[in-house]
Amino acid sequence: MCGIVCYVGQRDAVPILIEGLARLEYRGYDSAGVTIQNGAGVVTRKLRGRVQGLRDLLAEQPVAGTSGIAHTRWATHGAPTTVNAHPHHDCTDTIAVVHNGIIENADVLKAELERRGHRFRTETDTETIAHLIEEAKAPTLEQRVAIALGQVEGTYGLAVISSGEPGKIVVARKGSPVLLGVGDGEYFVASDAAAVLEHTRQVVYLDDGDIAVLSPDGYFIIDGESRAQARTVTSLDWNLEAIELGGYAHFMLKEIHEQPETVRATLRGRLLFDTGSARLQGLNLTAGDVAAIRRIVILGCGTSWHAGLVGRHVLESLARIPVDVEYASEYRYRDPLVEPGTLVVAISQSGETADTLEAMRRARAAGCRIVGLVNVVGSTIAREADGGIYLHAGPEIGVASTKAFTSQIVALVLLGLFLGRQRPDGLTEAEGRALVEELTRLPQAVARALELEPQLQDLARRYAGHHHALYLGRGVSFPVALEGALKLKEISYVHAEGYPAAEMKHGPIALIDAEMPVVFVAPKDHVYSKVLSNMQEVRARGGRIIAITTEGAGELGTLVDHQLSVPATASLLSPVVTVVPLQLLAYHIAVLRECDVDRPRNLAKSVTVE
Ligand code: G6P
C-alpha cells in the first residue's frame, strides 16, 4: 500500500526522502509528498502523481532541513488529488502526519473535531490524526500522539513531526508495517527496508502498539502508556544491487530472469540427499507435531493463493495429508470448522498482507499451529507464525509477483518432502531422493525456459492487440493457468481468464472464436492426453492455440498455432518451469501496449488494508 520514509540526522533530508520514496513507489503511486522541519516550522510540498513530479516541484520550490517525513500514496479514503496527498497538517500548521492504513472511525472523529472548531482541508481519514494530536494536552509529542491514537480505531503505520519539537520524529504502528533504520548519528523510518538499504543495513521492526521517538541523538521505543519497549536490531542481508534495475528495463523483467538463482536460493542448504528429505529448521515442528497433523489449511491472496493451489497437489501427493486452500480474505470472515490437528500454512511474499495476517490470527485463535511461507525477513507474518520457511528470493519490487511464486512452490515442495518422509503414507526414501535430484536440476530447467523469450516476444507482437485470452490447464497446471491469466490482466489490462481445461465445456467454450487466443499449460504428465482432447475442442471452434508443452512430448502440428516446449521435470515441479513463458508473454504484451509494467494502475505491491 502506501509508502512512508522519514529521516532525522545531520544531512539534508530532501534528497534522502525523495530517493527513499522512489524506492517505495511500488507500494503506491497516485500522489506523493514531503514535510521538512526547519527554522520556518513544518513546510510541506505535495502533489498528485509520481515521485518524479515531487522531485521537480522541489527543484522549483526548494526546502531544506535535516529532518522530515515523506509519503507515496495508494488512495483508500479520498480521491487521489494533491489536497488529499500526505503529509496532512493540523489547523495550526505546526503538526504534519504521514499514515498508512485506515482509520475506521474517522467519520465520527471528524464530526466531533469539527464541532469543536477544527477545520478540515482534505477528505482523508489521516487528517483526523493531525487534529487529534493538536488537541492532545501533554508535555511531549510522543505523549500527544499516544493520546490521539487512544481514540483511533483501525490500522496505522504513521510518522509525525511538529515545529514545536525540532529534530524529533514520532512513529507508531498498529497493523501496518514500519521499521526504523539505525545509522550513525542519523535515523530512518520506512514501510519497508528497500527505502533505507543504501544508508544502513541495521533495522528495527516495530511491533503493534509501539511508539518510537527518533532524534539525531538516538531513538527509543515506548508503548501507549510510556513504558519502555526493547526491540532487537536486525541486520539485513539484502544488497543494493537487489533493489536496482541492473540494466533491465523493468523490475518485473529482472525478477523473471533472476528465477534460476532465486529457485537455487530457496533450495540452498535444505536438501538432504541421503534420506530424500528437506532440512527446515525454522519450521519448529517436532516428529510428534508432524504425526499429529490431520489437515493442512493453506491461506494466501493473489499469486500466493495460486502457489497454495499448487501446494495442495504437492502436499497431498507427497505427505498424503488432506489440504484445503483458502482465500485469506474469505476465510477470515467465515466461521470455519477447525478440526484439532490442523496445520495452517500462510503464504505471503511481503509477509504483510492484511487479509492473510488476519486469517492466520483467526486460525491461531482457533488453536491451529501456523507455518509462514514468507519472503520478507522480519515481516509481521514471519514474526507471528510459530515457524516458517523463508523464500530467500530477495526483494521483489515489481508489483506483479514472479520470482516469489516460483520460490513459494519450491518451498511447498520442501515442506512436502519434510512432512512426507515422516508420515506413514508419505513418500518413500527412494521417491524422496528422486525428487531431491529433480530439485537440483530445477534452476537449470528454469534457465532453459527463459531462453524461449525471443519466441514469446514474437507471440506478444502477434497477440498484443487482442482484448481477451483464455488460459487452460489441468491438475497442477490449472493454478499455472490462473497465474498466467492474472499476470496478463494485471500488467496489460487485457481481460484473461484461467480455467481448468475440462471445465471449459461448461461455459467458456461459448467465447471461443478466431479472436480468442487460448493458452494451454500442457506439460507431459498423467493428464496430458486429456488436455490434447481439450485442445481439439478449441480447435474445432476456430480458437487460436498457444501450447506450453514439455520437451520430448512430440510435435502437436496443426492441432495448435504455436507450441513452446519447456524442459521436462517432475510433474509436481512443472509449475515452476511452465509459468516462466507465461510471465514473459504477459510482460512483453504489456510493454507493447505501453503499460507501466512495474506500476500497474490501481494495484499495490503490498496490500496492507483489507
Ligand atoms: C498484491 C500483489 C500480488 C500479491 C498479493 C499477495 O495483490 O500485487 O502480487 O500476490 O498482493 O501478496 P503477498 O505479499 O501476501 O504475497
Side-chain angles (χ1 to χ4, degrees), residues 226 323 342 476 600:
S226 296
V323 178
T342 299
V476 83

Side-chain angles (χ1 to χ4, degrees), residues 300-305 347-353 356 381 396 398-401 408 486-487 490 603-607:
C301 299
T303 290
S304 295
W305 182 74
I347 306 182
S348 175
Q349 187 286 128
S350 62
E352 302 292 352
T353 301
T356 310
I381 292 175
E396 192 180 67
V399 167
S401 185
Q408 284 163 345
L486 178 64
K487 288 300 88 137
E490 61 185 344
L603 295 177
K605 178 73 183 158
S606 178
V607 180

